Amino acid sequence: MSVYGKDTDPAFQAAGTNLGLEIWCVENLKLVSVPKSSHRKFYSGSAYVILNTFLPKNGLPRHDIHYWLGNDSNKEDSALASDKALELDAALGSCTVQYRELQGHETQKFLSYFKPCIIPIEGAYRTQQERLNGETYKVSLLACKGDHVVHVKEVPFSRSSLNHNDVFILDTASKIFLFSGCNSSIQERAKGLEVVQYIKENKHQEKCEVATVEDGKFVGDPEVGEFWSLFGGYAPIPQDPPSSVQEKPETPFVKLSISTQGKLCPCRTDSLNKEMLETDKCYMLDCDSEIFVWMGKHTSVTERKTSISATEDFLRNQGRSAGTHSVFITEGLETVKFRSYFDNWPQTVKIKLYEEGREKVAAMFKQKGYEVKELPDEEDIQPFIDCSGTLKVWRVDGDKLSLIPASDQRKIFSGDCYVVQYTYPGKEKSDHLFYAWLGCQSVTEDQRDAISRMNALVDSTKGDPVLAQVMENKEPSQFFSIFRTLIIYKGGRSARYKNFIAENGIADETYDESKTALFRVQGTSPNNMQAIQVDPVSRSLNSCYCYILQTGASAFTWIGNLSSTRDHDLLDRMLELIHPTWQAVSVREGSESDTFWNVLGGKAEYPRAKEIKGHMEDPNLFMLSITEDASSESVCIFQVKEIYNFTQDDLTTEDVLLLDCHDEIYVWIGCHSNISSKQQALTLGLKFLETDVLVEGLSLETPIYVVGEGHEPPFFTRFFEWDPSKSNMHGNSFERKLAILKGKPQQLEAPIRNTWKANSRSRETTPDGFRSKSMSSNGRRSASPASGGSLSNVKSPNNHIFSSSSAPTKKLFPKSSPYSSPGESIVPAGSPVNLLDNTGGTKANGSKPGEGGLNLLTYPYEQLKVVSLNPAAGIDITKREAYLSDEEFQVHFGMAKRDFYKLPKWKQNKQKMALYLF
C-alpha cells in the first residue's frame, strides 16, 4: 500500500500504481522521470532508480527496487540514488526488496527486465538530449557473456580484445559481425544473435547486413576476410593464460554484524537463527560475494539510510570486488537466499487473500439475489486435456506387469504399484500420458519396477509421450481427471506386498467386504470423484467431507457439517459404485448413534475446521546442470539456476529445464540436451526436490512430469504464452535464431520425429558440431522469494550448488521490454468469451450476430459492476467484462480485449475481481 507523504519526492507521486517498469535518473542532483522510449538507455555517467511492479498469481502487487550506478557516475549522484531508493521503499509501505546494481556487474534479475540486453552509453543522461546530425557512425566492439541473460560490454576495438571463450559483436555502419569464440556454447552464440538483432533494429533501423564468423575457421569466406580486414588482417588469437582465480571455499564465508549509529559491530556466534534479528535494529550479513542489509520493521528511514551507508563504506574500505551484490531487505520480506544462511528459518503462514476474496465475491452475488453456494476452483472446472480418452492400467506383480480388466481398472490398492497409460485425442494424432502410481503401503522393489516398466512402455510407444511419477496422497488433479471415478482400497495383491507383511508380522488390511471399512468421498463432479479407504477410526473423520462406513452387510453414510450439496451427490453415487445393494443409514454430523461410534472403536476428536486450499504461488523456472567436480571425477555437482521473468523462449533445446509449480514439477527435456533417458530426467526431478531450492518445504513425494521438446501437453503449455510454431523449429538454438535473422522461416519446419529415445541418441554433440557445455534442466516461480536474490554458487546443507540466471524475451528478438506500459492498470484477470447479442443495450463494434468476433450488447461500467446500484439485466454474470465497449474496456483494464483474453485465466479473474466484475 502506498504511503506518500509531504516529504516524498514529487517524482515518486503515483509510483507503483502501474504494472511494469518505472525509471528515474539523477540529473543536477534531482530525480527526473525517464520516458519509456529511453528505458534501455543507461548512461555510464549517471545513476538511476528503477521500480518493477508485478502482480503475482495470488495476493497484492509486489515491488522490486534497483538503483543502478554507472561506472563514471559521481559520488553525490550515487548517494542520492541510494537515498531515493529507500525513500521510494518507504512511500510504497516498506514492502520492497532493494538491489544495488553496478554497471557491468548487474544481477540476473535486473537484466531480465531488459531483454535481450542493455548497452550502456558513454556520457550522462540529459532530459533534452542533443541530436547529432552528420556524425560518422562509430564502429564498436562489444563482448557478450551469458546463456540465458546477457552482459554486454563495449571493449577496445582491437584484436587483443578478442578471446576464445566469449562472443563478440563488431558493429559497423553497413554490417554487423558476430564472432563466436571456439569455446563459447551454443546458447551463448544464440543470445549473441539476439543482441545483433536488437542492434540492427534500434541502431540501423533494419538497414544493415549481418555476418557470422567462427573462431578458427578461415576458409576464404569473403565475410570472414572482411571481418579480419577491419582488424588489419588475420592473425591467430593467443590462448588465454591459465586462470589465476582461486577456488572458492567449500563453505561460503558468512558473518553477521549489527548496525549501531553508523558503525558495524560483529555478532559473535557460531550459527545463525531468526531470533537473533531484533525488529528495532538493522543488520548486515556478509556472504563474501553478496551483502545483505536486514532492516527491522520498527526502524526509521534515517536508521536504514545510516545502515546502508555504513555497508557501502564497509565495501569500499574492504576493497571488495565490484561484482559484490548488495540487497536490502525489510523484515518479513526475506529472500530465499538470505533465509538459506539461517538454521531452520520458520515457514511463514501466508494470509489466504485469494480464498477470502472468493468468499467476498460469493457474498456479493448472494446480496443481489443469486444463489451461490461456493465458487469452485479453476482447476476443478477446467481440465486441460480431453478426458474422454482410453485408459489402460497394469499392476506391478513381481517381475512382470499384469493388465487389469477394464471393469476393475478404476479400483486400485495402496499396497500395490501401477502403470497407467492414458491415450487421448491430440491436434493431429493421439497423445499418450503415462503414470507410475506408487501406493503408500507398497514395497520399494515394486516402486522401482513400476518406474522401470513405465519407461519400457514409453520407449515402445510411438511419438513422445509424457510420463509422470505419482505417490499416493499426492496425486495431481490431472490424474484424477483421467480416471474420472477411482476407488483406492487399503492393502495389496502383489506377491511382494504379501511376502513383506508376512515376514514382518503385519496384519493384512487388504479390502474385504466382510470387514469393517471406512471410505472418504471426495471430488469435484460425477466425472471426477474418488473414494479413499482410510483407517476405520473416529479420528479419520473430517467435517469437510462425507464418508461411507461399511460394517458387515450394512453401511452408514456420514455427512460432515462443512460438506456441500455437491459432496452429498457424490456420496450417493459412490455408495452405489462400491456396493449397489447396500441400504445405508444416513447420519448427519452431531446426530450419530452409539452404534455408529462403536463400529469406529469409540468417539474421538477429529478435524472440524474448514479446510482451505493453500493459494497457489506463481511457477518458477530453473535450468539444471550436472558437472563433474574437478577435485574428484567420481563426484558430480548438481547446480540450479533460476530464470527470472521466463517465457517460452527460455526453453532452449540444449538444456533440461524444470518448472516448479509447487504442488507438481515438470522436467522439460530439450532435443539437443545431454539427457539420454527419461529415467535420468526423473532422477533430476528428485534431486531438485531434495535440494528444495526455494526453501518451500517441497515433499519428496511431489508429482514429477517429464515432457519432451516439441510434444508439450496443454497442461504444461498453460504456464506460458505459448506459440505452437516455435515447437516446429529444428536445429540448435544458434541455427534456429540465425534462420530467423536471415529471413529463412521456411527452414524451420521440423521433420517428423520417431520416439523420444531415438532423438536422444546423438545429443552429446549438436548438429553443427558444437558441443553443448552442460546438461541442464529447469523449473520456477515468478514472484517467489527466490527472486529476491541470486543463488550463485552457494552450496546447500546437502552440498548442492545453487546459482541463478535470467530469462530471454516474449518475442524472439523484441524491440522493447515485454513489460506493460505505464498506463496499464494493476487489476486482476477473466476469460475469453464468445457470446451473442441479447436484448437491449448497444451492439459492440456494430457487429451483427453470426458475423464472428464478440457480438455483444454494451453497457456502462457502473451498470456491470457486481455492486452496481442500477445493474444491467439479462447479462451473463460470469462474463461481465465482455459487455464493456472497447473504449471503456481500455480505460478500466488498460489493454484491448484481444490482449486481455490472451492472458491466463487466473490473471483475467484477478483483474475482474479488482474491478468488481467477478
Side-chain angles (χ1 to χ4, degrees):
M1 180 179 180
S2 302
V3 193
Y4 297 101
K6 61 180 181 179
D7 297 328
T8 303
D9 193 308
F12 289 145
Q13 290 299 326
T17 56
N18 299 310
L19 286 175
L21 295 176
E22 296 174 78
I23 302 178
W24 300 266
C25 184
V26 177
E27 183 181 5
N28 298 324
L29 293 178
K30 289 185 179 178
L31 215 57
V32 296
S33 178
V34 176
K36 188 172 180 63
S37 59
S38 298
H39 273 193
R40 290 173 176 271
K41 299 175 182 177
F42 287 85
Y43 288 82
S44 60
S46 297
Y48 295 78
V49 176
I50 299 95
L51 171 66
N52 179 44
T53 301
F54 55 94
L55 188 67
K57 187 172 180 178
N58 295 290
L60 300 174
R62 299 184 195 174
H63 313 276
D64 283 320
I65 297 174
H66 304 254
Y67 62 95
W68 186 89
L69 309 178
N71 288 339
D72 302 324
S73 59
N74 59 50
K75 189 174 181 181
E76 292 78 10
D77 286 354
S78 299
L80 183 62
S82 174
D83 289 346
K84 290 299 179 182
L86 198 57
E87 186 179 311
L88 177 57
D89 170 67
L92 293 170
S94 296
C95 62
T96 73
V97 178
Q98 302 161 63
Y99 303 85
R100 179 172 176 259
E101 308 283 355
L102 298 181
Q103 180 182 338
H105 302 277
E106 296 87 354
T107 61
Q108 309 283 333
K109 188 179 184 69
F110 177 78
L111 290 175
S112 74
Y113 304 144
F114 306 99
K115 303 164 183 175
C117 66
I118 60 172
I119 304 176
I121 305 168
E122 289 185 4
Y125 176 82
R126 295 289 178 265
T127 306
Q128 298 295 330
Q129 296 288 340
E130 295 182 8
R131 293 190 176 183
L132 301 176
N133 295 316
E135 182 177 309
T136 303
Y137 192 88
K138 179 189 174 186
V139 176
S140 58
L141 182 63
L142 305 172
C144 302
K145 293 176 180 285
D147 51 7
H148 274 272
V149 66
V150 191
H151 284 86
V152 178
K153 177 183 179 182
E154 185 170 359
V155 295
F157 177 31
S158 167
R159 182 189 288 104
S160 61
S161 295
L162 303 175
N163 63 52
H164 297 293
N165 297 320
D166 298 322
V167 173
F168 294 85
I169 295 171
L170 180 60
D171 180 19
T172 71
S174 60
K175 187 175 287 188
I176 305 174
F177 297 87
L178 179 78
F179 175 85
S180 301
C182 59
N183 296 328
S184 62
S185 70
I186 295 298
Q187 297 95 317
E188 290 169 330
R189 300 178 189 198
K191 294 305 290 186
L193 281 177
E194 290 190 22
V195 179
V196 168
Q197 177 71 15
Y198 171 74
I199 294 172
K200 181 180 178 182
E201 290 177 348
N202 291 274
K203 292 183 68 177
H204 296 267
Q205 289 72 51
E206 299 276 7
K207 298 177 181 178
C208 72
E209 296 180 30
V210 173
T212 58
V213 179
E214 189 177 337
D215 180 16
K217 291 193 177 179
F218 188 76
V219 290
D221 187 319
E223 290 184 331
V224 174
E226 184 181 354
F227 172 80
W228 286 112
S229 68
L230 295 169
F231 290 92
Y234 174 77
I237 300 173
Q239 292 296 324
D240 298 323
S243 175
S244 59
V245 179
Q246 294 182 351
E247 288 188 13
K248 294 186 177 180
E250 282 284 317
T251 305
F253 171 83
V254 180
K255 184 177 180 182
L256 184 69
S257 300
I258 187 170
S259 176
T260 307
Q261 298 179 345
K263 294 183 179 180
L264 296 172
C265 304
C267 298
R268 302 184 183 279
T269 179
D270 294 330
S271 61
L272 302 178
N273 57 73
K274 186 178 184 295
E275 288 67 33
M276 299 173 63
L277 305 176
E278 299 182 38
T279 191
D280 59 347
K281 293 182 174 61
C282 295
Y283 297 81
M284 183 192 78
L285 185 67
D286 182 3
C287 304
D288 195 20
S289 62
E290 193 164 23
I291 298 286
F292 294 92
V293 175
W294 184 91
M295 302 171 287
K297 286 181 183 177
H298 299 132
T299 54
S300 66
V301 173
T302 302
E303 289 174 300
R304 298 181 184 195
K305 283 184 179 180
T306 303
S307 300
I308 292 174
S309 296
T311 299
E312 291 177 344
D313 289 340
F314 170 82
L315 289 173
R316 279 191 294 270
N317 296 335
Q318 289 276 316
R320 290 293 178 87
S321 162
T324 303
H325 293 141
S326 299
V327 183
F328 311 108
I329 302 169
T330 303
E331 180 182 359
L333 297 168
E334 295 84 2
T335 64
V336 166
K337 183 70 176 295
F338 178 83
R339 288 187 276 126
S340 69
Y341 290 111
F342 290 76
D343 294 334
N344 303 315
W345 189 282
Q347 293 285 332
T348 55
V349 179
K350 299 182 179 178
I351 300 173
K352 305 291 189 298
L353 294 173
Y354 182 58
E355 294 294 339
E356 291 177 1
R358 287 153 59 95
E359 291 174 4
K360 289 176 183 176
V361 170
M364 287 191 286
F365 275 121
K366 287 182 179 179
Q367 193 176 21
K368 292 298 176 184
Y370 297 103
E371 182 60 28
V372 179
K373 290 292 183 183
E374 64 177 23
L375 297 178
D377 290 326
E378 287 181 34
E379 254 61 10
D380 295 341
I381 60 176
Q382 184 183 358
F384 296 100
I385 59 174
D386 188 323
C387 292
S388 62
T390 59
L391 194 67
K392 286 185 179 180
V393 182
W394 292 267
R395 184 176 66 249
V396 175
D397 196 359
D399 57 355
K400 66 180 187 298
L401 288 178
S402 299
L403 182 64
I404 297 177
S407 58
D408 293 328
Q409 64 185 8
R410 287 176 168 81
K411 301 175 183 179
I412 58 180
F413 290 79
S414 293
D416 295 336
C417 294
Y418 298 83
V419 175
V420 177
Q421 178 183 356
Y422 180 64
T423 304
Y424 61 99
K427 288 187 177 179
E428 298 177 357
K429 57 180 179 56
S430 293
D431 290 326
H432 302 282
L433 172 59
F434 284 86
Y435 286 98
W437 185 87
L438 315 178
C440 61
Q441 296 177 304
S442 62
V443 297
T444 304
E445 291 85 351
D446 279 350
Q447 294 180 5
R448 289 173 181 164
D449 274 354
I451 296 169
S452 175
R453 302 295 178 193
M454 174 180 66
N455 277 289
L457 283 173
V458 167
D459 290 342
S460 67
T461 305
K462 291 183 179 180
D464 193 356
V466 174
L467 63 82
Q469 175 180 315
V470 174
M471 290 293 296
E472 183 182 358
N473 298 323
K474 291 288 183 178
E475 296 92 347
S477 57
Q478 196 74 54
F479 181 81
F480 288 138
S481 295
I482 65 173
F483 268 92
R484 308 185 76 157
T485 300
L486 183 64
I487 303 173
I488 303 178
Y489 295 107
K490 294 177 77 67
R493 293 181 173 177
S494 81
R496 285 171 176 159
Y497 171 77
K498 296 294 186 184
N499 291 338
F500 176 80
I501 60 173
E503 290 171 1
N504 292 274
I506 300 173
D508 190 350
E509 296 182 301
T510 303
Y511 174 75
D512 186 327
E513 287 187 10
S514 63
K515 298 179 181 177
T516 299
L518 181 65
F519 293 89
R520 183 182 71 245
V521 177
Q522 61 187 40
T524 60
S525 74
N527 290 325
N528 183 348
M529 59 181 183
Q530 304 86 44
I532 315 294
Q533 188 178 357
V534 296
D535 292 334
V537 293
S538 301
R539 64 176 179 274
S540 294
L541 300 175
N542 186 309
S543 298
C544 296
Y545 294 98
C546 295
Y547 292 79
I548 297 170
L549 175 60
Q550 167 196 338
T551 170
S554 61
F556 294 91
T557 57
W558 186 85
I559 300 172
N561 286 336
L562 298 179
S563 61
S564 65
T565 53
R566 179 190 66 186
D567 297 326
H568 306 163
D569 177 51
L570 299 184
L571 176 66
D572 293 338
R573 291 173 181 269
M574 269 299 179
L575 179 64
E576 187 174 350
L577 283 172
I578 293 175
H579 206 299
T581 63
W582 281 344
Q583 296 297 317
V585 177
S586 180
V587 177
R588 283 267 179 183
E589 181 179 4
S591 60
E592 301 89 349
S593 64
D594 290 340
T595 303
F596 176 85
W597 292 121
N598 290 338
V599 173
L600 293 178
K603 191 173 182 180
E605 284 301 313
Y606 56 84
R608 300 172 187 268
K610 183 177 180 181
E611 278 192 349
I612 299 178
K613 280 177 101 173
H615 67 270
M616 287 308 301
E617 295 286 345
D618 293 332
N620 295 69
L621 189 66
F622 297 89
M623 186 175 77
L624 307 183
S625 64
I626 294 181
T627 56
E628 288 186 359
D629 190 338
S631 61
S632 174
E633 294 184 0
S634 61
V635 176
C636 289
I637 300 174
F638 178 64
Q639 294 178 299
V640 181
K641 189 160 69 173
E642 181 165 9
I643 300 175
Y644 298 104
N645 302 314
F646 66 85
T647 68
Q648 181 184 354
D649 290 324
D650 288 303
L651 303 176
T652 45
T653 187
E654 293 79 19
D655 295 329
V656 178
L657 300 120
L658 188 142
L659 187 69
D660 178 7
C661 301
H662 318 299
D663 60 347
E664 58 192 25
I665 65 174
Y666 295 82
V667 180
W668 181 91
I669 310 167
C671 284
H672 296 99
S673 71
N674 289 340
I675 290 286
S676 60
S677 72
K678 290 194 173 181
Q679 176 65 64
Q680 275 186 277
L682 280 175
T683 302
L684 281 175
L686 287 169
K687 201 74 174 174
F688 177 86
L689 294 177
E690 287 177 10
T691 60
D692 195 13
V693 175
L694 297 174
V695 195
E696 56 184 324
L698 279 178
S699 168
L700 294 179
E701 297 178 353
T702 301
I704 304 172
Y705 284 92
V706 178
V707 177
E709 180 184 3
H711 298 271
E712 297 86 354
F715 52 92
F716 174 80
T717 60
R718 65 189 171 110
F719 296 106
F720 301 81
E721 291 183 10
W722 196 260
D723 179 357
S725 66
K726 292 180 180 178
S727 299
N728 294 326
M729 300 167 73
H730 71 93
N732 62 39
S733 297
F734 179 80
E735 291 169 332
R736 295 178 183 186
K737 291 181 181 178
L738 183 61
I740 293 177
L741 187 60
K742 295 281 190 178
K744 300 176 181 177
Q746 72 276 7
Q747 296 182 4
L748 302 183
E749 198 61 34
I752 298 174
R753 307 185 192 202
N754 292 320
T755 64
W756 184 92
K757 187 174 183 179
N759 282 326
S760 67
R761 289 175 183 167
S762 58
R763 291 180 183 169
E764 287 289 334
T765 304
T766 52
D768 65 350
F770 297 129
R771 185 173 292 274
S772 178
K773 276 193 171 180
S774 66
M775 167 187 63
S776 342
S777 130
N778 163 59
R780 130 183 137 75
R781 182 187 205 150
S782 68
S784 72
S787 60
S790 64
L791 306 176
S792 56
N793 297 332
V794 174
K795 286 200 174 182
S796 72
N798 294 327
N799 292 324
H800 301 297
I801 292 185
F802 304 143
S803 56
S804 79
S805 178
S806 167
T809 149
K810 292 184 179 178
K811 296 180 180 178
L812 192 56
F813 303 119
K815 292 185 179 180
S816 60
S817 170
Y819 282 75
S820 52
S821 64
E824 184 174 343
S825 304
I826 297 177
V827 280
S831 64
V833 296
N834 186 14
L835 305 176
L836 297 178
D837 286 346
N838 211 317
T839 56
T842 307
K843 288 181 182 179
N845 306 320
S847 61
K848 298 177 182 179
E851 287 184 345
L854 293 178
N855 302 313
L856 297 175
L857 301 174
T858 62
Y859 293 90
Y861 169 71
E862 293 301 323
Q863 282 190 269
L864 293 171
K865 291 195 301 183
V866 174
V867 292
S868 174
L869 298 176
N870 180 28
I875 64 171
D876 185 337
I877 61 171
T878 67
K879 296 163 184 172
R880 294 173 180 271
E881 81 289 351
Y883 296 90
L884 288 169
S885 68
D886 290 346
E887 294 75 18
E888 200 166 8
F889 192 100
Q890 180 73 43
V891 169
H892 292 287
F893 284 88
M895 66 181 77
K897 284 183 180 178
R898 64 178 179 275
D899 296 326
F900 174 77
Y901 290 131
K902 291 177 182 177
L903 297 173
K905 190 170 181 180
W906 63 265
K907 275 195 177 182
Q908 295 177 28
N909 288 341
K910 282 181 69 69
Q911 296 219 32
K912 291 200 294 183
M913 270 187 210
L915 291 173
Y916 302 102
L917 292 174
F918 184 79

